[in-house]
Amino acid sequence: MHCCCLSAESQPDGDQVINVITFDSPSSPPAAEVAPTSTPTSIFVQRMLTLQLKKDATIEGGSKLGVTVIRAESGLVITTLENGLVENYNNHAAPEQRIYPGDRIVAVSGASDLDGIVRILKEPVEVWTLDVQSMYTREVVLSNPDGAEMGLLIGLRSGALAVSTVKDSGITAEFNKANPNAPIMAGMRIVAVNDVRADAQKMVQEMKEATTLRILLREGTLLASPRR
């Protein structure tokens, strides 16, 4: 086991979650896996993902989407992911094609207004088509074979890790010195570490133990302001 001296702040989640939805819903077609990038940093462009999800009693969690959302003007913002059909889709998708906390469901089976989206998602249908707007996501690959200090203070929030402080020493500081135009900064959210996502505690553990870290980061706040 490698100790990276990662500090996790056990702070309460201040994000207000409204309209929590766990739907009877579907899984999706697998996408091709891609090899990890060898570049120090890369950007996943913002994109619209269209998923056809179908109920599937043969898979674990095949009767629900397994997402928690809040209302926002731009759609339903995904705040957390749990076992269900969306995660089943993620398990077969390339990292840049996966759904992460902060993505927005902007349309369902042709409906783009919030009331229509919620209504359709609650209907007992067999197949739904979800249009999901992804956020800009940055990939950083860090090597830590000796278990050196990461140099990060993080908080656990809504299925992601919130970077609250980047210390002056550690492998994160070294990365920032080598990449001054694309540093890891306070306020960013870590949405995946290697193949671990959706579970903040497991992401922390992966950062402590893995010798190579493929980290997916997003800038700014994870959630839009809830609307009642």
Side-chain angles (χ1 to χ4, degrees), residues 2 4 6-8 79-81 87 98-101 150 152 154-163 188-218 222:
H2 295 266
C4 66
L6 181 74
S7 299
T79 62
T80 57
L81 295 166
E87 269 297 270
R98 289 173 181 160
I99 306 300
Y100 297 100
M150 281 289 296
L152 288 177
I154 59 174
L156 311 183
R157 298 287 297 276
S158 296
L161 304 177
V163 178
M188 288 183 167
R189 304 279 175 148
I190 298 173
V191 296
V193 181
N194 296 333
D195 287 327
V196 181
R197 59 187 179 277
D199 189 316
Q201 294 284 2
K202 289 183 179 179
M203 283 192 281
V204 169
Q205 194 65 26
E206 183 72 8
M207 292 178 75
K208 289 180 177 180
E209 296 181 352
T211 57
T212 298
L213 300 172
R214 177 178 180 165
I215 298 173
L216 299 188
L217 295 139
R218 288 180 168 182
L222 178 63

Side-chain angles (χ1 to χ4, degrees), residues 5 11 22 27 37 56 64 70 76 82 85 89 92 125 163 174-175 221:
C5 300
Q11 61 187 48
T22 301
S27 97
T37 177
D56 188 347
K64 63 179 182 178
I70 63 169
L76 296 181
E82 59 184 30
L85 291 161
Y89 161 81
H92 297 89
V125 296
V163 178
E174 293 176 5
F175 172 85
T221 57

Side-chain angles (χ1 to χ4, degrees), residues 4 6 140-152 166-179 184 207 210-213 215:
C4 66
L6 181 74
V140 171
V141 179
L142 302 175
S143 178
N144 190 17
D146 300 320
E149 182 180 357
M150 281 289 296
L152 288 177
V166 178
K167 295 182 178 181
D168 294 333
S169 61
I171 63 172
T172 305
E174 293 176 5
F175 172 85
N176 287 348
K177 290 177 183 177
N179 297 273
I184 299 172
M207 292 178 75
T211 57
T212 298
L213 300 172
I215 298 173

Side-chain angles (χ1 to χ4, degrees), residues 35-49:
T37 177
S38 58
T39 58
T41 182
S42 60
I43 299 291
F44 297 159
V45 297
Q46 189 177 36
R47 67 180 71 206
M48 186 73 71
L49 302 174

